[in-house]
Amino acid sequence: GQNIDQPTEMTATEGAIVQINCTYQTSGFNGLFWYQQHAGEAPTFLSYNVLDGLEEKGRFSSFLSRSKGYSYLLLKELQMKDSASYLCAVKSDYKLSFGAGTTVTVRA
Amino acid sequence: GAGVSQTPSNKVTEKGKYVELRCDPISGHTALYWYRQSLGQGPEFLIYFQGTGAADDSGLPNDRFFAVRPEGSVSTLKIQRTERGDSAVYLCASSSEGNYGYTFGSGTRLTVV
């Protein structure tokens, strides 16, 4: 089975940094994804890690440790528009399994 | 098309009725997925198509749910004898062979009253 855990909610101030952790136990691993989902909208792709280490893409970075079953998404220089749900997802073969999502609220 | 298109965007139906949800994937994408997302939860896998065939339907909750993709492009998710517990957002996604990412549609919000 698949077990993917991430915090339910996080709050941060505009301009600050927030780190969203994700731990997983899955049968099979072909990569870990982070998606952003605004209320009422489709999930949109943020990042993909298949090897250990840090991937940086602008204000967003994602880290993976396969031996620890652990990833984090780092959001820097937070903006109000970053208020959304962030979904951690693990790919096994062709299938993505998602965590429940972390709702990030950015306050002025 | 440029993105994954799902219709209708909203559907309200009475308990016991039959509904069809449509997904038009990105042109050329061979893989198509249906997911279901309840409030406050992540998307849950329902079914995966590679071309015209359902390669994995292990996520369909029961035999009231069925999906087809007759020409390897548009897919229809069919739900018979709807129940209030079927209320959720039904998401469709597609990807091309060898592409590691999915592109999601905006979903169909199904409400069974």
Side-chain angles (χ1 to χ4, degrees):
Chain A
Q2 318 291 65
N3 189 27
I4 300 166
D5 290 317
Q6 51 182 128
T8 305
E9 294 181 334
M10 300 184 77
T11 301
T13 306
E14 195 174 16
I17 297 172
V18 70
Q19 177 175 315
I20 307 169
N21 295 324
C22 172
T23 58
Y24 64 90
Q25 292 175 303
T26 59
S27 53
F29 181 84
N30 295 106
L32 188 139
F33 293 76
W34 286 95
Y35 280 81
Q36 180 190 59
Q37 187 176 28
H38 286 99
E41 298 182 10
T44 55
F45 171 82
L46 286 180
S47 70
Y48 168 68
N49 295 69
V50 66
L51 299 176
D52 290 354
L54 188 68
E55 294 282 342
E56 297 187 82
K57 190 188 294 186
R59 295 188 298 113
F60 294 174
S61 304
S62 57
F63 172 82
L64 175 67
S65 169
R66 288 171 297 170
S67 62
K68 295 181 179 178
Y70 168 70
S71 172
Y72 68 73
L73 179 70
L74 195 69
L75 286 63
K76 292 176 275 191
E77 299 168 20
L78 280 172
Q79 302 175 10
M80 300 300 287
K81 67 178 182 179
D82 297 330
S83 292
S85 178
Y86 292 84
L87 300 163
C88 174
V90 173
K91 189 171 185 181
S92 301
D93 292 327
Y94 49 79
K95 188 189 299 185
L96 279 184
S97 298
F98 287 84
T102 299
T103 300
V104 172
T105 302
V106 181
R107 293 186 172 160
Chain B
V4 177
S5 175
Q6 291 188 246
T7 54
S9 54
N10 279 284
K11 176 71 177 179
V12 180
T13 190
E14 292 181 347
K15 180 175 177 295
K17 298 290 188 184
Y18 168 83
V19 296
E20 290 189 351
L21 312 180
R22 175 189 167 104
C23 173
D24 197 346
I26 291 173
S27 179
H29 278 193
T30 55
L32 185 146
Y33 310 80
W34 283 98
Y35 280 77
R36 178 168 72 173
Q37 186 172 26
S38 300
L39 193 64
Q41 299 298 315
E44 290 178 286
F45 171 80
L46 293 177
I47 188 169
Y48 158 61
F49 286 91
Q50 183 59 249
T52 60
D56 182 352
D57 64 358
S58 62
L60 294 178
N62 52 59
D63 61 7
R64 295 186 297 106
F65 288 74
F66 188 71
V68 295
R69 194 186 186 197
E71 297 177 358
S73 175
V74 171
S75 176
T76 304
L77 178 66
K78 308 180 181 196
I79 311 174
Q80 298 177 319
R81 306 184 303 281
T82 51
E83 299 178 357
R84 292 197 178 87
D86 299 335
S87 297
V89 175
Y90 289 81
L91 292 166
C92 177
S94 70
S95 68
S96 59
E97 194 166 336
N99 185 327
Y100 55 76
Y102 290 14
T103 301
F104 281 90
S106 296
T108 294
R109 180 175 300 278
L110 176 67
T111 304
V112 182
V113 298

